[in-house]
Amino acid sequence: MNFSKAKKSKISLGLIGTGTVGGGVLEILRDQKKFLKNKLGFDLEIKKVATLVPTEAQHLGVNKSQIVASWKDIVNDPEIDIVIELIGGTGVAKEIICQSIQNKKQVVTANKALLAMHGKEIFDLAARHEAQVCFEASVGGGIPVLRALREAFAACEINSLQAIINGTCNYILSEMADKGAGFQQTLKEAQRLGYAEQDPTFDIEGIDAAHKLCILISMAFGVFVPLKQIYTQGITELSPLDFECANRFGYCIKLLAIAKKNQDGLEARVHPTMIPLTSPLSSVKDVFNAILIEGTPLGRSLFYGRGAGRGPTASAVMGDVVEIARRLVSGSPVITPPLGFVREALQNGKLKALEKINSAYYLRFSVLDRPGALSKITGLLGKEGISIASVYQHELDLGKKVPVVLLTHPSSEEKMQKALKKIDRLSFIKEKTLRIRIEHG
């Protein structure tokens, strides 16, 4: 495309999806019209809106004549410059984005699941068709972490990141820690407040965080990692006792998405994690998100804010729209690659096996209280070279089931798995041992 002949005086938008985020985008375009023009010097115009619920768009100021039932009416409209995909999912949404790119349109999406599963294919297609795909809203809602990784940290080699990137889980864990409530009770309250879906599986099982971690890994390390390689564990097995013990030992519990790159390779995982109360991530409460990035020569940098919701996510979507619109009006080509790395440098990555990862551990055993039980457990751990840092034994009740909690010094996941396999077969162990990894970094 000859961009010198592609200058425009206004930019036409096509919005697909008028749910929570789509509605927020329409509100911004309606309420901030003059403000946006003062920033841009030209108009952003909604030309068409595709929705299955026309009244949603009409209530937000969209004329009935602008509303269409099929996304194809937007993707195939030659006058539309930017397609905003906000329906989610990985089926129709993929078709929308790929067809838009093939039609030489620019794309904005918040679809983390789609990019986690098909990002490489989509970015390759965009490069071939000289189209731009922006996706700031896919990770961290209104936190501009992807733009920072792509541009502000362009000269920084990222070594690690730890991220609280699921607001539902962070709310539940914060409430359990502060109020001592059980998981199911807290989940129901989160659903009542609208912080959790009626089917919360993607959130509480860590799947949503794993999708976002895939994108962060691509941005931070220039590596495409298959989603299925990321070890993912949810928060459903945690009890109030675990939060009490964590605090007793000087920790809190967060669902962390973790990625580290070192000489041994790349590791990535999502699971409940104990972190010191002195960590900057320990104070992240409620539905807020935070991403702690460490790199060379950057050092540490913390991003914090609302990770979801109508306003923050719509704001991130519009930030992408503005970025693309400025380029189109100026007639500039796509200069910055979507992931911040040139295509030739991007790699298909393979993660280090979980068994090779080293960590300290919190272990909660459900033990039939009898003489010698604790020494038997510590003996089996010792045979694998795992040493004990701290012990907490709940109120004793001879002959009854009681919790026993151990904190270990760092050891390999492989050794811990071998030890727990033997321990869980002991006659006095009444439930599968709960294991929480500890991160001190």
Side-chain angles (χ1 to χ4, degrees), residues 163-379:
I164 297 170
I165 43 178
N166 184 273
T168 299
C169 285
N170 203 50
Y171 171 81
I172 291 172
L173 297 180
S174 298
E175 289 291 292
M176 290 179 72
D178 293 344
K179 298 180 179 178
F183 173 77
Q184 290 297 335
Q185 175 188 345
T186 310
L187 172 59
K188 287 180 181 177
E189 179 65 8
Q191 290 172 321
R192 185 187 71 80
L193 294 171
Y195 295 155
E197 303 286 348
Q198 287 307 303
D199 180 0
T201 303
F202 264 48
D203 294 318
I204 64 175
E205 295 297 344
I207 300 168
D208 173 77
H211 287 152
K212 296 169 183 174
L213 183 58
C214 267
I215 297 169
L216 284 169
I217 289 169
S218 297
M219 298 288 292
F221 307 114
V223 174
F224 291 108
V225 173
L227 181 66
K228 63 183 179 182
Q229 283 191 21
I230 296 179
Y231 173 80
T232 305
Q233 178 188 347
I235 64 173
T236 58
E237 296 179 350
L238 299 176
S239 75
L241 176 62
D242 301 318
F243 293 88
E244 177 189 331
C245 290
N247 188 67
R248 181 185 295 269
F249 290 124
Y251 296 97
C252 68
I253 303 173
K254 298 294 183 182
L255 182 76
L256 284 194
I258 300 167
K260 300 178 182 180
K261 186 179 181 182
N262 50 46
Q263 292 179 342
D264 298 331
L266 178 64
E267 65 180 77
R269 43 203 164 93
V270 173
H271 51 67
T273 310
M274 281 192 178
I275 57 175
L277 293 173
T278 54
S279 166
L281 292 175
S282 69
S283 61
V284 180
K285 303 280 189 178
D286 205 70
V287 295
F288 283 85
N289 281 196
I291 303 98
L292 181 63
I293 297 171
E294 186 167 352
T296 305
L298 169 71
R300 281 182 150 194
S301 186
L302 178 68
F303 291 80
Y304 170 86
R306 292 191 176 274
R310 189 182 188 94
T313 310
S315 175
V317 168
M318 286 305 301
D320 284 342
V321 169
V322 165
E323 178 185 335
I324 295 173
R326 282 177 168 151
R327 177 179 64 79
L328 291 176
V329 166
S330 69
S332 303
V334 179
I335 296 174
T336 307
L339 298 173
F341 292 83
V342 295
R343 285 178 71 194
E344 296 77 17
L346 293 167
Q347 304 172 19
N348 291 317
K350 185 176 181 181
L351 294 178
K352 185 193 303 185
L354 183 69
E355 291 75 17
K356 304 303 179 184
I357 291 172
N358 287 320
S359 176
Y361 295 88
Y362 164 97
L363 304 173
R364 172 166 54 82
F365 304 95
S366 181
V367 179
L368 186 64
D369 188 26
R370 61 174 61 168
L374 180 57
S375 63
K376 183 68 173 176
I377 291 170
T378 57

Side-chain angles (χ1 to χ4, degrees), residues 6 47-48 53 64 75 122 232 235 239 270 272 286 439:
K47 189 168 188 293
K48 288 180 181 177
V53 189
K64 190 174 182 180
V75 170
I122 288 169
T232 305
I235 64 173
S239 75
V270 173
D286 205 70
E439 288 284 323

Side-chain angles (χ1 to χ4, degrees), residues 347-417:
Q347 304 172 19
N348 291 317
K350 185 176 181 181
L351 294 178
K352 185 193 303 185
L354 183 69
E355 291 75 17
K356 304 303 179 184
I357 291 172
N358 287 320
S359 176
Y361 295 88
Y362 164 97
L363 304 173
R364 172 166 54 82
F365 304 95
S366 181
V367 179
L368 186 64
D369 188 26
R370 61 174 61 168
L374 180 57
S375 63
K376 183 68 173 176
I377 291 170
T378 57
L380 288 173
L381 289 168
K383 283 183 179 180
E384 295 297 334
I386 301 169
S387 59
I388 308 303
S390 300
V391 179
Y392 173 70
Q393 192 163 354
H394 213 52
E395 187 176 325
L396 300 179
D397 194 351
L398 195 62
K400 298 292 181 67
K401 185 176 70 173
V402 295
V404 174
V405 171
L406 302 179
L407 261 61
T408 77
H409 290 293
S411 69
S412 73
E413 183 83 17
E414 184 175 24
K415 290 179 179 179
M416 182 58 70
Q417 288 178 3

